[in-house]
Structures are given as structure tokens and as C-alpha cells.
Amino acid sequence: MKTTVIKPADAVKRWVVVDATDQVLGRLASAIARVLRGKRRADYTPHVVQGDCVIVLNVGKIRLTGDKLNQKMLKRYSGYPGGLKLIPYSELMVTRPQTALRRAVWGMLSRSRQSRKQIRSLKIYKGGDHPHVAQQPTTVKLVNGELTAA
């Protein structure tokens, strides 16, 4: 049996739509990270960016388990004395839920040039509409930690 090795020119990106309504933030982020890396594909090649493009809708309706909504904080540090900004997730999920999901997915990708290319394939929208109809995305849903066709 031969091993399939994909070249960057042969990599075909598919588009996937995920509805984040009532999904847990961490579980959704890990499933999205797996799709962005391309690990669920049969022709996965580690050194080629061939993961699918992911469109996430209704990010404002994501859940956090436990008391994370009150305890978890978004930390930003400018590098200057007194430049630490702490934003509680209770405030972040109301104002910018896209940031919470993007940072969760970013934390689950490897630290490399490849992951910086992969995160660009993630499109996040607060509402239920997206402008990527021309790409003919397929709708998937999260079942037991895996994204499966709806």
C-alpha cells in the first residue's frame, strides 16, 4: 500500500458551516481546530496547509460550563508597566464573542507558521448570516466532539 503525500498545489480546501448555538466553547474550539489542521481528512499531510475553511455562525449563543463566565478573564498586556488589561468573559461574551472563540481555537493550534495560515481559514460571525454562499459550504454539526455532516 502506498502512502499518499499531498503537495501544496494539490491541496483542495472545502468550506464547512458550523452553528454554534448552545455549544460548549472548548469542545467546539477543539473540533474546529481539528478541521483547520486537516486531521479529519484521509489524505492528511502534516507539512501542508490543507485543512478546510470553517464558517462559525451564532457565536453569541455559545455556552461556558461551570462558573467560567464569571471567573475566566481575557488577559492583554501591552508590555508597559500598568499595561495589563483584564476583561471578564461575562463582559466579553456580550460585546465580542468572536474573540473568545478565536482565542480558544488559536490556543489549540500548534505554534508554527502553518498555524498562522490555518487560523486565517476561520470565519466567525455573531449572527446567522454569512457572505460565503458562493463557496457552496456544507453544513456540519457537533456530535460527541466530532463535526459530522448534518
Side-chain angles (χ1 to χ4, degrees):
M1 176 180 258
K2 287 187 157 198
T3 303
T4 305
V5 178
I6 299 294
K7 295 180 181 134
D10 299 336
V12 177
K13 285 188 175 261
R14 298 181 208 122
W15 286 73
V16 175
V17 176
V18 179
D19 187 14
T21 304
D22 292 331
Q23 299 293 334
V24 178
L25 176 66
R27 294 184 186 275
L28 181 64
S30 63
I32 290 171
R34 205 172 307 120
V35 172
L36 289 175
R37 291 244 13 234
K39 286 247 179 164
R40 68 185 199 136
R41 297 176 67 142
D43 59 354
Y44 170 70
T45 307
H47 66 279
V48 177
V49 178
Q50 66 178 20
D52 298 338
C53 295
V54 180
I55 303 165
V56 185
L57 304 176
N58 297 318
V59 179
K61 299 176 184 175
I62 286 182
R63 290 188 305 127
L64 281 106
T65 58
D67 200 27
K68 290 187 193 108
L69 203 59
N70 299 319
Q71 293 177 349
K72 194 171 175 72
M73 301 284 234
L74 172 70
K75 295 176 187 166
R76 289 178 30 209
Y77 182 55
S78 67
Y80 290 98
L84 179 65
K85 301 238 192 291
L86 296 172
I87 302 168
Y89 264 61
S90 58
E91 180 184 325
L92 185 70
M93 293 305 288
V94 172
T95 57
R96 296 179 300 158
Q98 302 95 327
T99 304
L101 181 63
R102 185 173 302 280
R103 288 180 67 105
V105 172
W106 177 249
M108 294 179 188
L109 293 174
S110 61
R111 304 293 176 263
S112 63
R113 282 179 283 177
Q114 205 173 28
S115 66
R116 288 187 284 279
K117 291 178 186 174
Q118 290 165 349
I119 198 71
R120 285 188 224 135
S121 297
L122 178 62
K123 312 295 182 196
I124 303 173
Y125 299 99
K126 193 172 182 178
D129 297 327
H130 64 87
H132 306 285
V133 179
Q135 283 74 25
Q136 299 172 347
T138 58
T139 304
V140 296
K141 63 181 181 175
L142 186 69
V143 178
N144 296 330
E146 286 290 325
L147 291 175
T148 57

